[in-house]
Amino acid sequence: MNRPASLSATGPLVLAALIFAAALTRVLPHPPNFSPIEAVALFGGAYFAKRSWALIVPLLAMFASDLVLGVVNGGVYWSYFASAGYLLVYACIALSTVLGFGLRGKVSGGRVLGYGLAGSLLFFVVTNFGTWLGSSMYPQNASGLLAAYVAGIPFFQWTVAGTLFYAALLFGGFELLRRRNPALRAQTA
């Protein structure tokens, strides 16, 4: 179907704006790990027609919010950029975006819930493994790995809550926008 350029550009711009707005909420006070990281990745994966944009936009949005957090929080946060944990978080964003490809054309409340839980679990497993592997806080054996995962459990509840909260806002908000705007209804960006 041929669409005028203005209509075909509307969807991706709206998606990018929603993702950047969600990412920038990381600057607001919040419980540890209550963030939009996994939700923006799933959302981008589900709706951007071009897989490259689905990967790039959430990564850029998170990077922009990391830069703002670095400016706001100063030196402690800047050291985060040099850590392996930083790269693992971005790897989780990319992996969750790929996970979000499974939602394409099949978005429903139940599916978003399931994918949100899967993305949260992925984030928990990868980042806590990275903490164990790259830190002297835990012995480099099975007991140390188990201790790293146990120590991460209090943060996991906030990861799940944040992912589901932001997924509801992004997916639900976009659905409301699609119902009100025929240009968004007529396409998947």
Side-chain angles (χ1 to χ4, degrees):
M1 174 178 179
N2 292 330
R3 296 183 189 115
S6 62
L7 288 181
S8 62
T10 302
L13 291 175
V14 170
L15 294 174
L18 289 170
I19 288 170
F20 271 84
L24 289 173
T25 65
R26 295 174 65 215
V27 178
L28 302 173
H30 60 274
N33 283 30
F34 186 90
S35 77
I37 292 174
E38 298 305 305
V40 299
L42 291 170
F43 183 71
Y47 284 113
F48 276 107
K50 291 186 177 182
R51 290 176 185 244
S52 59
W53 284 107
L55 284 161
I56 290 168
V57 172
L59 289 168
L60 283 176
M62 285 298 138
F63 185 72
S65 67
D66 276 333
L67 289 176
V68 172
L69 285 166
V71 169
V72 170
N73 296 320
V76 173
Y77 202 83
W78 289 121
S79 65
Y80 164 69
F81 282 103
S83 72
Y86 170 78
L87 296 175
L88 287 175
V89 168
Y90 280 72
C92 287
I93 295 167
L95 290 170
S96 289
T97 300
V98 172
L99 186 65
F101 293 162
L103 287 167
R104 289 171 174 244
K106 303 178 221 166
V107 173
S108 69
R111 290 179 64 82
V112 170
L113 173 66
Y115 277 71
L117 292 173
S120 296
L121 186 60
L122 170 78
F123 187 84
F124 175 80
V125 169
V126 170
T127 57
N128 283 288
F129 180 81
T131 299
W132 167 76
L133 188 62
S135 169
S136 59
M137 291 177 14
Y138 304 103
Q140 298 299 295
N141 56 31
S143 296
L145 180 59
L146 181 61
Y149 282 118
V150 169
I153 290 171
F155 299 99
F156 181 61
Q157 68 182 350
W158 291 113
T159 300
V160 171
T163 299
L164 296 180
F165 174 80
Y166 284 103
L169 281 179
L170 288 166
F171 284 91
F174 188 61
E175 185 56 36
L176 288 174
L177 287 173
R178 289 175 83 173
R179 289 181 184 180
R180 292 176 167 238
N181 187 331
L184 294 175
R185 215 179 2 220
Q187 67 179 16
T188 299

